[in-house]
Amino acid sequence: MDKQTFINSQLSGGNKNTGFAASQIYYSTYRVSKLTYHLELHPKDYSSQIGLWKLLGKRKRLLAYLFGKDINIYLRVIKKLGIRGLKGR
């Protein structure tokens, strides 16, 4: 199963719209896990580390947007992915 099919299968309701904030959060979480694994093997790869920080910042902004737009989808995404929610929210 390719990564896009896997991400689409994880989305509730089968929403295949890649512009949807929840699908972007799912995809960025997939990329975060790949980069984290890469950095475990190559701890001195600083350019990948900077890319990971940027990706985490983008995912944080998407989560903040989703929190303001639809709290129910936000809570479902947080629970399904097993990631922490935003601080103070």
Side-chain angles (χ1 to χ4, degrees):
M1 180 180 334
D2 67 337
K3 61 185 173 193
Q4 191 62 39
T5 308
F6 175 73
I7 293 167
N8 287 338
S9 69
Q10 293 295 317
L11 288 172
S12 59
N15 190 347
K16 296 187 183 348
N17 182 4
T18 56
F20 186 51
S23 64
Q24 290 183 32
I25 292 168
Y26 274 89
Y27 183 66
S28 64
T29 302
Y30 171 77
R31 289 180 57 202
V32 164
S33 66
K34 278 182 53 175
L35 272 174
T36 303
Y37 177 73
H38 171 78
L39 286 171
E40 288 173 358
L41 299 176
H42 308 283
K44 292 189 177 185
D45 188 355
Y46 297 115
S47 59
S48 292
Q49 194 174 33
I50 291 169
L52 177 64
W53 292 340
K54 287 182 178 183
L55 189 59
L56 288 171
K58 183 175 183 174
R59 186 177 74 176
K60 182 179 176 182
R61 289 190 303 274
L62 284 167
L63 284 169
Y65 169 77
L66 195 60
F67 181 83
K69 194 77 169 169
D70 190 353
I71 189 79
N72 294 327
I73 296 175
Y74 167 80
L75 293 173
R76 196 170 26 201
V77 166
I78 292 294
K79 185 178 178 184
K80 190 167 236 179
L81 290 176
I83 58 177
R84 289 184 297 170
L86 300 170
K87 286 186 177 178
R89 295 182 188 193

